[in-house]
């Protein structure tokens, strides 16, 4: 058993170190079984293509190991990688291939996009280069982005809708009885414990009525999204979230993108793919200007949620930004600063600005996309929001 484990470890190290290490392993005592299986040989060749590009089977942006066109060879390589490794490793290998071998120049080849494993990092790279997409590849690029959007939508939609609807229904009830305003489904749910088996009926202890004023004065959610180059992943999650919120009729949703300029993308929020292509990743940052623009959409501060999604690397007026955020909070607006929406560990952000905003008792942290429904529910219910 120990010999088998040792042989397995040796083969793994051989895959890590590449073909150049083969002779050294063979010369080592007890390394007789270091020979790779057929599948491991294919793994070795696939890894060598990017991690040992000078060895046989390697490729680079300027050429390929064989006589076929580089994009055809890369397409076949991508297919091999997807069949040999699990999805998490495929994403890492694809990302390394883009950086190490200059494959971004070939990223828009339709046959390559069809073989790429959907990955939010690659989607961010594509969106950053969207103005360079050749005409022949536009539909393939759109389909690739659509796959990412569908994955995120599947992760968030039901929970976001549930959290928003549940919290708003609870807050929008009125103590004034009105048959036309009876919330029948909520009344039944709250009184199920009062079911009388003998009567085969629910005997309600309390009836719940919608507040008519809430219908004429709905909640407003504003997403103010930093589109500087470091925020690609957050932009994608924010776009999907905005479209989900825009589909909920009981609230009004606005989404604004900013770098040194401000762009209102609300009209695109019926299609998350169109919305994403409305962003222009890269450039500087003027957060203060964007917050000033968003202020015009605040009609009832106590019924407004304002999300600033930014790493806070402010290139504009930092003091004015802090004053503006403080004024919003004091007026009754629920202000939340998300430094990033990501599940890839601690984000980069301006720690000094984040500290000053947090000192105003404005929630300021990075969060995973899975936590967004919980944050929304707490915000709508007026609860304290913690990281």
């Amino acid at each position: 058993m120990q010999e088998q484990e040792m042989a397995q470890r040796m083969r793994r190290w051989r895959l890590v170190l590449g073909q150049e290490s083969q002779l050294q392993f063979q010369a080592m005592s007890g390394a007789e079984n270091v020979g790779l299986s057929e599948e491991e040989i294919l793994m070795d060749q696939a890894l060598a293509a990017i991690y040992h590009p000078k060895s046989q089977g390697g490729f680079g942006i300027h050429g390929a190991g064989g006589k076929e066109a580089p994009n055809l060879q890369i397409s076949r390589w991508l297919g091999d990688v997807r069949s040999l490794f699990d999805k998490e490793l495929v994403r890492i290998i694809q990302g390394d291939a883009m950086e190490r071998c200059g494959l971004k120049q070939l990223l828009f080849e339709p046959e390559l996009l069809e073989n790429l494993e959907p990955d939010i990092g690659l989607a961010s790279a594509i969106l950053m280069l969207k103005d360079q997409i050749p005409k022949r590849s536009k539909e393939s690029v759109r389909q690739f982005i659509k796959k990412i959007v569908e994955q995120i939508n599947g992760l968030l939609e039901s929970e976001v809708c549930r959290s928003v609807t549940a919290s708003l229904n609870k807050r929008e009830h009125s103590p004034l009885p009105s048959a036309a305003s009876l919330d029948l489904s909520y009344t039944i749910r709250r009184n199920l414990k009062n079911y009388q088996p003998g009567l085969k009926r629910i005997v309600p202890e309390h009836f719940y009525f919608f507040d008519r004023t809430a219908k004429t004065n709905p909640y407003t959610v504003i997403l103010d999204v930093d589109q500087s180059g470091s925020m690609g992943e957050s932009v994608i999650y924010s776009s999907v979230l905005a479209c989900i919120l825009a589909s909920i009729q009981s609230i009004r949703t606005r989404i604004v993108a900013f770098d040194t300029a401000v762009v209102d993308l609300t009209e695109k929020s019926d299609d998350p793919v169109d919305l994403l292509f409305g962003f222009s990743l890269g450039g500087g940052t003027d957060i203060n200007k964007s917050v000033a623009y968003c202020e015009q959409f605040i009609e009832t501060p106590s019924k407004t949620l304002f999300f600033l999604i930014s790493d806070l690397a402010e290139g504009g007026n930092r003091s004015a930004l802090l004053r503006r955020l403080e004024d919003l909070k004091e007026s009754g607006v629920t202000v939340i600063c998300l430094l990033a929406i990501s599940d890839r560990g601690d984000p980069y952000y301006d720690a000094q600005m984040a500290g000053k905003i947090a000192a105003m008792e404005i929630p300021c942290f990075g969060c995973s996309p899975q936590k967004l429904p919980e944050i929304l529910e707490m915000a709508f219910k007026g609860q304290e929001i913690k990281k």
Side-chain angles (χ1 to χ4, degrees):
M1 186 65 178
Q2 289 183 346
E3 290 183 4
Q4 290 179 349
E5 289 181 358
M6 179 61 71
Q8 186 179 27
R9 289 180 183 178
M10 297 290 262
R11 288 196 298 273
R12 287 179 178 175
W13 276 110
R14 162 63 183 78
L15 287 171
V16 170
L17 297 174
Q19 191 174 7
E20 293 87 347
S21 65
Q22 181 72 25
L23 292 177
Q24 290 93 323
F25 275 106
Q26 288 178 345
M28 292 172 63
S29 175
E32 295 86 356
N33 296 325
V34 78
L36 303 178
S37 67
E38 289 186 13
E39 184 178 32
E40 287 169 339
I41 289 172
L42 291 174
M43 287 183 174
D44 189 43
Q45 292 172 348
L47 294 172
I50 57 169
Y51 298 109
H52 304 281
K54 292 183 180 180
S55 65
Q56 186 177 4
F59 59 78
I61 191 63
H62 300 297
K67 294 182 179 180
E68 58 194 8
N71 61 331
L72 178 58
Q73 188 197 32
I74 296 165
S75 181
R76 290 183 177 178
W77 172 81
L78 285 168
D80 288 342
V81 167
R82 291 181 71 176
S83 65
L84 291 167
F85 303 95
D86 64 42
K87 286 189 176 183
E88 289 305 313
L89 281 175
V90 170
R91 293 188 179 104
I92 293 170
I93 293 169
Q94 284 179 175
D96 286 347
M98 298 300 160
E99 295 300 323
R100 288 170 173 258
C101 302
L103 297 187
K104 284 182 180 177
Q105 294 179 41
L106 293 176
L107 189 58
F108 299 129
E109 294 295 332
E111 59 268 33
L112 297 187
L113 287 166
E114 291 170 5
N115 282 297
L116 283 172
E117 185 69 30
D119 175 72
I120 196 165
L122 287 181
S124 299
I126 288 173
L127 291 171
M128 193 171 292
L129 300 169
K130 68 184 179 70
D131 293 334
Q132 302 171 33
I133 300 174
K135 192 172 183 179
R136 69 179 184 279
S137 301
K138 286 188 176 181
E139 183 56 32
S140 296
V141 168
R142 185 178 178 85
Q143 290 304 313
F144 180 78
I145 297 296
K146 187 177 180 180
K147 291 178 185 177
I148 302 292
V149 165
E150 288 174 347
Q151 287 183 352
I152 298 172
N153 199 67
L155 173 71
L156 295 179
E157 184 177 28
S158 62
E159 282 301 302
V160 167
C161 291
R162 181 205 60 76
S163 63
V164 172
T165 303
S167 55
L168 286 184
N169 280 352
K170 186 174 181 180
R171 292 197 65 164
E172 290 181 355
H173 287 134
S174 169
L176 301 176
S178 169
S181 300
L182 176 65
D183 185 349
L184 183 60
S185 62
Y186 189 75
T187 298
I188 292 172
R189 288 199 305 273
R190 291 300 300 269
N191 287 281
L192 284 174
K193 61 183 179 180
N194 300 316
Y195 178 74
Q196 301 291 331
L199 299 174
K200 295 184 178 181
R201 293 181 182 179
I202 295 173
V203 180
E205 286 184 354
H206 188 76
F207 291 89
Y208 295 85
F209 303 91
F210 286 116
D211 183 353
R212 287 185 175 274
T213 62
K215 301 300 181 182
T216 58
N217 188 20
Y219 270 83
T220 298
V221 180
I222 303 171
L223 302 178
D224 193 18
V225 186
D226 187 340
Q227 62 178 352
S228 58
S230 62
M231 297 294 292
E233 191 170 342
S234 298
V235 163
I236 294 173
Y237 283 119
S238 299
S239 295
V240 177
L241 176 62
C243 291
I244 294 171
L245 292 173
S247 71
I248 302 175
Q249 295 183 353
S250 57
I251 60 175
R252 291 182 296 199
T253 304
R254 302 209 66 97
I255 181 164
V256 173
F258 68 89
D259 41 39
T260 53
V262 179
V263 182
D264 195 325
L265 297 174
T266 303
E267 291 185 358
K268 295 180 179 289
S269 57
D270 58 341
D271 185 328
V273 179
D274 284 344
L275 180 56
L276 277 171
F277 278 99
F279 281 86
S280 297
L281 288 172
T285 312
D286 192 335
I287 308 173
N288 181 56
K289 183 191 291 186
S290 73
V291 177
Y293 174 84
C294 292
E295 286 177 341
Q296 66 184 294
F297 304 118
I298 300 172
E299 296 180 3
T300 307
S302 63
K303 303 191 77 172
T304 302
L305 309 185
F306 178 75
F307 286 87
L308 175 60
I309 303 167
S310 173
D311 59 15
L312 302 178
E314 173 67 309
N317 191 325
R318 296 165 70 92
S319 298
L321 169 62
L322 293 171
R323 287 196 301 271
R324 204 176 289 279
L325 291 176
E326 187 171 26
D327 288 345
L328 284 177
K329 182 178 183 298
E330 290 182 353
S331 73
V333 174
T334 299
V335 182
I336 301 167
C337 180
L338 299 181
L339 302 169
I341 303 174
S342 172
D343 53 10
R344 301 194 182 198
D346 293 334
Y348 161 81
Y349 60 93
D350 186 315
Q352 185 181 34
M353 285 293 286
K356 290 180 178 180
I357 291 173
M360 301 175 192
E361 297 185 349
I362 293 175
C364 186
F365 53 86
C367 81
S368 67
Q370 294 87 345
K371 193 173 176 64
L372 288 172
E374 180 185 347
I375 292 173
L376 281 165
E377 185 167 2
M378 289 190 293
F380 277 117
K381 289 181 177 179
Q383 298 173 349
E384 183 181 0
I385 298 170
K386 296 181 179 180
K387 181 177 179 180

